[in-house]
Each structure stands twice: as C-alpha cells, then as structure tokens.
Amino acid sequence: MLLRLDIADSRPLHEQVAGAIRRAIAEGECGPGDRLPPARELSQALGVNVNTVLRGLRALRDEGVLEFRRGRGVTVTEGADQRSVLLDLVRGLVTDAARLGYSKTDLIEMIRGIA
C-alpha cells in the first residue's frame, strides 16, 4: 500500500493519515479483510510519529472503516470501500454547507425533510 501525505495540506497530520488510508481503500489498493502494515512501518514510510499514525487509525476504527484485532493487527472492515466514499462525500457536504452558512444541525434537518 503506497501512502503519501501532502506537506502543503493544512489539515492535522493524523487527519491526513486517515484520509490517505481512506483513499487507498476507495481506490482498491486494499480491500475488506486486508491487513494493514503495522503502525510503526506506516509511520516510517510517511515520515511521521507513530502516535500520529495511531491517532489516524483510531479515527478510522471509530468510523467503522478499520477493525483492530488482538494478534491479527488492523484489518479493513467489510463494506469499508463504500463507507469511505460516502464519508468523503458527507465531509464535502458539511464543508460546503459551512461555507454557505449552514450548520450541521441545519443539514440534519434538510436530510430529514428529504427522507
């Protein structure tokens, strides 16, 4: 799995790590059931602290994209490829809405009105 971070990106590094892994999943570089390299290897490859990588991995675990298993490492969950794409779309929607002056609560109400 080839991951790269953009040094010009203003987002925190752990968010960039999570984004790079999401992108790798969405582009098919790794799929459901695949095991990720250990955090130490990822940190060395990306040139960031191992705690930064772990923070990004935990965020993806909390989103349901990754699963941590004792003795088996970190694996991609079933359906993670679709979930990653959807999460990226939702993040873009929230960003666009904020730019236009809408809050997350406003978005939730809009979605409830559609459904």
Side-chain angles (χ1 to χ4, degrees):
M1 178 168 55
L2 179 63
L3 301 177
R4 282 184 240 138
L5 300 182
D6 181 4
I7 58 170
D9 193 334
S10 62
R11 293 179 302 152
L13 287 173
H14 70 278
E15 288 180 14
Q16 291 184 51
V17 169
I21 294 169
R22 267 191 223 99
R23 195 169 31 260
I25 293 168
E27 293 175 359
E29 288 185 47
C30 54
D34 287 351
R35 191 170 157 195
L36 295 185
R40 189 169 310 284
E41 284 181 29
L42 289 173
S43 72
Q44 290 172 348
L46 295 170
V48 297
N49 187 290
V50 71
N51 291 319
T52 302
V53 170
L54 288 170
R55 189 169 175 190
L57 292 174
R58 282 191 297 268
L60 292 173
R61 178 199 58 200
D62 294 345
E63 292 173 10
V65 174
L66 298 178
E67 183 176 42
F68 291 21
R69 293 185 182 176
R70 183 177 293 275
R72 292 184 54 188
V74 179
T75 57
V76 179
T77 61
E78 291 296 324
D81 44 355
Q82 291 91 15
R83 186 173 175 84
S84 292
V85 171
L86 182 60
L87 283 170
D88 285 341
L89 291 171
V90 170
R91 280 190 185 87
L93 176 63
V94 171
T95 300
D96 290 345
R99 188 175 36 81
L100 295 170
Y102 291 97
S103 69
K104 291 178 186 176
T105 304
D106 295 332
L107 279 176
I108 292 168
E109 290 305 315
M110 286 180 201
I111 292 168
R112 284 188 179 136
I114 293 171

